[in-house]
Amino acid sequence: TSKQQKLSSFFSHK
Amino acid sequence: MLELRLVQGSLLKKVLEAIRELVNDANFDCSATGFSLQAMDSSHVALVALLLRSEGFEHYRCDRNLSMGMNLNNMAKMLRCAGNDDIITIKADDGSDTVTFMFESPNQDKIADFEMKLMDIDSEHLGIPDAEYHAIVRMPSAEFARICKDLSSIGDTVVISVTKEGVKFSTAGDIGTANIVCRQNKTVDKPEEATVIEMQEPVSLTFALRYMNSFTKATPLSETVTISLSSELPVVVEYKIADMGYIRFYLAPKIEE
């Protein structure tokens, strides 16, 4: 199985 | 006071149709730069970033930065009432809890205004760093839409692999597998029909087709789409909007557990 990563792990919160 | 007059009103109609499936509620930000939006889907794996630059509007007045929370389905309902040739003006007063969309027919014989309630939206604003992409593919947007649609009848995910030979879209499902390879093709009559690959190094990433199909709702906005890929980074699927700006979709890759 594979899971989708969350974008917050790539992009910082402003 | 905010007043934005867009002669090519159909662009705004198309923008709404492109994003309303992915995002329910979003803040539209208005500043001297332009009319923009950044919003994530409810599962936080996809993000849409829209920019319509102020220079693209026939009249652009934005006295101070304003953020307007809108339900995109409701906004789309209102914009569907505008004719495709209509001029659309977006108006809002400072501190108002409504926004007005004014539709003018090209020969000015019909003028309509629709007032929509705004909403308070607590949105996360993500800082998107500039990234160096391993591979950038530019191809006809209709071709990309066709590939995503075709593959989603076979499987749930797409593996996008870029090599010197071309870009390969692959899927697998219960009934079998599918591979579609698009080779670089610069020798076409029209530049918008070309498939152009700029590759620093080969890259192969897996994405959910459901989201890719959702992004292709932006196809009417642009004849070409640009897909930027880097290992372990979200893919960027970009549709340019005439001379005005862009709509960019970011999607996090799938990882093996």
Side-chain angles (χ1 to χ4, degrees), chain B residues 25 35 57 106 174 180 185 195:
Chain B
D25 304 318
F35 193 58
F57 290 82
D174 293 342
I180 300 171
N185 176 16
T195 297

mmCIF file of all heavy atoms in Angstrom, chain B residues 25 35 57 106 174 180 185 195:
data_model
loop_
_atom_site.group_PDB
_atom_site.id
_atom_site.type_symbol
_atom_site.label_atom_id
_atom_site.label_comp_id
_atom_site.label_asym_id
_atom_site.label_seq_id
_atom_site.Cartn_x
_atom_site.Cartn_y
_atom_site.Cartn_z
ATOM 1 N N ASP B 25 -14.444 26.235 0.165
ATOM 2 C CA ASP B 25 -14.428 27.628 0.607
ATOM 3 C C ASP B 25 -13.005 28.148 0.527
ATOM 4 O O ASP B 25 -12.056 27.420 0.852
ATOM 5 C CB ASP B 25 -14.884 27.740 2.077
ATOM 6 C CG ASP B 25 -16.256 27.127 2.294
ATOM 7 O OD1 ASP B 25 -17.139 27.342 1.446
ATOM 8 O OD2 ASP B 25 -16.425 26.424 3.312
ATOM 9 N N PHE B 35 -5.456 39.790 -8.101
ATOM 10 C CA PHE B 35 -6.526 39.045 -7.445
ATOM 11 C C PHE B 35 -6.012 37.611 -7.329
ATOM 12 O O PHE B 35 -5.685 36.982 -8.345
ATOM 13 C CB PHE B 35 -7.755 39.119 -8.359
ATOM 14 C CG PHE B 35 -9.048 38.680 -7.758
ATOM 15 C CD1 PHE B 35 -9.554 39.276 -6.610
ATOM 16 C CD2 PHE B 35 -9.803 37.689 -8.383
ATOM 17 C CE1 PHE B 35 -10.776 38.881 -6.086
ATOM 18 C CE2 PHE B 35 -11.027 37.290 -7.861
ATOM 19 C CZ PHE B 35 -11.502 37.900 -6.706
ATOM 20 N N PHE B 57 -6.620 43.422 -15.813
ATOM 21 C CA PHE B 57 -7.975 43.961 -15.682
ATOM 22 C C PHE B 57 -8.050 45.306 -16.407
ATOM 23 O O PHE B 57 -7.076 46.068 -16.412
ATOM 24 C CB PHE B 57 -8.329 44.157 -14.197
ATOM 25 C CG PHE B 57 -8.505 42.877 -13.444
ATOM 26 C CD1 PHE B 57 -7.399 42.187 -12.950
ATOM 27 C CD2 PHE B 57 -9.774 42.349 -13.232
ATOM 28 C CE1 PHE B 57 -7.549 41.003 -12.249
ATOM 29 C CE2 PHE B 57 -9.932 41.159 -12.519
ATOM 30 C CZ PHE B 57 -8.826 40.479 -12.031
ATOM 31 N N PRO B 106 -21.836 42.618 -24.045
ATOM 32 C CA PRO B 106 -20.840 43.378 -24.822
ATOM 33 C C PRO B 106 -21.385 44.687 -25.383
ATOM 34 O O PRO B 106 -20.667 45.670 -25.451
ATOM 35 C CB PRO B 106 -20.450 42.417 -25.945
ATOM 36 C CG PRO B 106 -20.820 41.070 -25.448
ATOM 37 C CD PRO B 106 -21.975 41.236 -24.523
ATOM 38 N N ASP B 174 -7.160 -3.702 -11.154
ATOM 39 C CA ASP B 174 -7.607 -5.091 -11.108
ATOM 40 C C ASP B 174 -7.682 -5.716 -12.498
ATOM 41 O O ASP B 174 -7.427 -6.910 -12.668
ATOM 42 C CB ASP B 174 -8.997 -5.175 -10.448
ATOM 43 C CG ASP B 174 -8.925 -4.791 -8.979
ATOM 44 O OD1 ASP B 174 -7.805 -4.807 -8.427
ATOM 45 O OD2 ASP B 174 -9.980 -4.453 -8.398
ATOM 46 N N ILE B 180 1.306 4.945 -21.145
ATOM 47 C CA ILE B 180 1.217 5.881 -22.273
ATOM 48 C C ILE B 180 2.507 6.689 -22.283
ATOM 49 O O ILE B 180 2.846 7.325 -21.283
ATOM 50 C CB ILE B 180 -0.011 6.817 -22.139
ATOM 51 C CG1 ILE B 180 -1.306 5.990 -22.093
ATOM 52 C CG2 ILE B 180 -0.051 7.831 -23.281
ATOM 53 C CD1 ILE B 180 -2.555 6.780 -21.740
ATOM 54 N N ASN B 185 8.303 16.253 -28.897
ATOM 55 C CA ASN B 185 7.878 16.489 -30.266
ATOM 56 C C ASN B 185 7.803 17.991 -30.500
ATOM 57 O O ASN B 185 6.779 18.618 -30.267
ATOM 58 C CB ASN B 185 6.511 15.822 -30.472
ATOM 59 C CG ASN B 185 5.950 16.091 -31.834
ATOM 60 O OD1 ASN B 185 6.679 16.524 -32.723
ATOM 61 N ND2 ASN B 185 4.666 15.850 -31.998
ATOM 62 N N THR B 195 5.189 18.788 -27.505
ATOM 63 C CA THR B 195 5.535 18.221 -26.208
ATOM 64 C C THR B 195 7.028 18.482 -26.015
ATOM 65 O O THR B 195 7.846 18.054 -26.828
ATOM 66 C CB THR B 195 5.243 16.706 -26.170
ATOM 67 O OG1 THR B 195 3.832 16.520 -26.348
ATOM 68 C CG2 THR B 195 5.661 16.096 -24.835
#
